[in-house]
């Protein structure tokens, strides 16, 4: 099994040997060599941005060619901007760098506000290259009606947006194929979350439909997906019954202090060790 495909084959072709001694181990040996690297842009921008950091460190002429349709383009744009701050090949410190607030994590609390919580979110740059700043306009659309939303450039927003959609008028999310390749099959785990909380959702190959049925409460299995855990927590703000989040510790991947912030802003929770 080759868990890093399509990056796996390209790295091996260019001198880096990847093996999998056990199911939870990947071993990397060898050294990348100069040349032309070609990768499909339709699977994940993470493969592209990873190469963007590695290739300038190789001695010799190196080109990166992205084929097909580039998904999550804002993440590539962010990487270009960040690398530009450090010059070429990306090793010269600019001295001081101001790090923007994170729209992806801020989106959870922006969604909570859209659901009626009395809170404000500060420190987010409205002109950021981050694609997830689109959450502001999308939340307005979800409050006003039942929009059709492309997930092409905002795959990380989909779970929490489905919560807002279910609590309002519903929505249709298109371009969802890559959601199946996230920390969980995020199409399946999102549908399970909505349904276990009393809502209704369905999907085909590339479309996820969420119905505006409202949410009542229930048990959500995060499938070790941090965005499912945080979305379930936000859903609890509109549920009449309790919400139980199984595997809630997975938020540590991207937002270790999420539960502390949740409580600070008025959310109530208790941990149960199983």
């Amino acid at each position: 099994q080759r868990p890093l495909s399509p990056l796996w084959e390209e790295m091996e072709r260019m001198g880096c040997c990847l093996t999998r001694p056990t199911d939870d181990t990947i071993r990397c040996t060898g050294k990348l060599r100069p040349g032309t690297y070609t990768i499909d842009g339709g699977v994940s921008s993470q493969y592209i941005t990873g190469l963007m950091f590695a290739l300038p460190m190789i001695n010799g002429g190196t080109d990166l060619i992205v084929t097909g349709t580039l998904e999550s383009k804002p993440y590539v744009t962010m990487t270009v901007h960040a690398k530009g701050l450090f010059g070429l090949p990306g090793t010269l410190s600019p001295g001081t760098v101001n790090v923007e607030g994170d729209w992806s994590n801020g989106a959870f609390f922006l969604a909570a506000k859209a659901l009626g919580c009395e809170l404000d979110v500060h420190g987010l740059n409205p002109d950021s290259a981050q694609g997830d700043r689109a959450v502001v306009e999308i939340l307005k659309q979800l409050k006003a009606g039942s929009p059709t939303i492309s997930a092409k450039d905002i795959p990380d927003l989909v779970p929490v947006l489905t919560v807002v959609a279910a609590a309002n008028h519903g929505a249709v999310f298109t371009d969802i194929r890559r959601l199946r390749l996230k920390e969980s099959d995020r199409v399946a785990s999102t549908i399970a979350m909505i349904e276990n909380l009393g809502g209704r959702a369905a999907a085909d190959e590339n479309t996820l439909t969420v119905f505006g049925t409202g949410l009542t409460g229930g048990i959500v299995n995060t499938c070790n997906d941090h965005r499912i855990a945080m979305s379930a927590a936000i859903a609890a703000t509109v549920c009449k019954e309790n919400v139980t989040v199984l595997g809630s510790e997975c938020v540590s991947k991207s937002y270790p202090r999420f539960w502390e912030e949740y409580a600070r802003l008025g959310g109530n929770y208790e941990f149960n060790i199983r």
Side-chain angles (χ1 to χ4, degrees):
Q1 185 179 5
R2 300 198 163 196
L4 296 182
S5 182
L7 185 60
W8 185 293
E9 289 83 359
E10 191 65 2
M11 290 182 68
E12 283 194 336
R13 184 180 71 83
M14 298 304 290
C16 186
C17 181
L18 301 173
T19 57
R20 195 169 188 177
T22 65
D23 288 342
D24 59 356
T25 304
I26 294 174
R27 178 174 295 149
C28 177
T29 59
K31 188 174 182 179
L32 294 175
R33 57 177 176 262
T36 299
Y37 290 71
T38 303
I39 191 165
D40 183 358
V43 180
S44 173
S45 63
Q46 295 179 29
Y47 299 143
I48 297 166
T49 56
L51 286 172
M52 288 172 65
F53 280 103
L55 299 188
M57 309 304 295
I58 301 174
N59 292 326
T62 303
D63 294 314
L64 174 60
I65 297 176
V66 179
T67 61
T69 301
L70 177 57
E71 302 283 351
S72 294
K73 183 178 178 179
Y75 289 101
V76 176
T77 302
M78 290 162 56
T79 304
V80 171
H81 175 72
K83 287 183 63 61
L85 295 175
F86 290 82
L88 293 175
T91 58
L92 302 175
S93 172
T96 301
V97 173
N98 292 320
V99 179
E100 289 186 355
D102 186 344
W103 277 98
S104 300
N105 283 342
F108 293 101
F109 294 112
L110 290 169
K113 183 175 182 178
L115 291 172
C117 294
E118 296 182 2
L119 58 87
D120 290 309
V121 181
H122 299 286
L124 297 173
N125 177 11
D127 298 318
S128 173
Q130 298 178 55
D132 285 352
R133 68 186 176 92
V135 68
V136 173
E137 292 302 318
I138 295 174
L139 289 173
K140 293 177 182 177
Q141 295 172 28
L142 291 172
K143 295 290 287 184
S146 179
T148 297
I149 301 164
S150 172
K152 180 178 179 181
D153 288 335
I154 55 162
D156 293 336
L157 292 182
V158 171
V160 75
L161 291 178
T162 63
V163 168
V164 179
N168 284 277
H169 312 286
V172 175
F173 297 86
T174 61
D175 304 308
I176 64 166
R177 288 189 184 92
R178 289 183 310 114
L179 292 177
R180 301 185 187 279
L181 305 175
K182 294 292 185 177
E183 286 77 0
S184 63
D185 176 339
R186 205 169 274 171
V187 175
S189 58
T190 295
I191 290 175
M193 172 184 68
I194 294 297
E195 293 184 338
N196 289 347
L197 292 176
R200 189 161 67 94
D204 56 27
E205 181 181 359
N206 204 31
T207 302
L208 169 63
T209 302
V210 179
F211 300 90
T213 56
L215 300 172
T216 56
I219 299 174
V220 174
N221 187 335
T222 66
C223 302
N224 202 33
D225 190 327
H226 53 139
R227 303 205 183 277
I228 298 297
M230 292 185 280
S231 298
I234 300 305
T237 66
V238 293
C239 290
K240 296 179 180 180
E241 301 173 10
N242 289 339
V243 172
T244 300
V245 183
L246 303 180
S248 61
E249 66 278 4
C250 66
V251 301
S252 62
K253 174 176 180 178
S254 63
Y255 203 157
R257 294 177 57 86
F258 174 79
W259 295 111
E260 296 173 44
E261 290 293 285
Y262 189 79
R264 183 181 67 80
L265 294 168
N268 297 311
Y269 72 91
E270 61 181 35
F271 280 117
N272 293 303
I273 307 299
R274 295 181 175 231

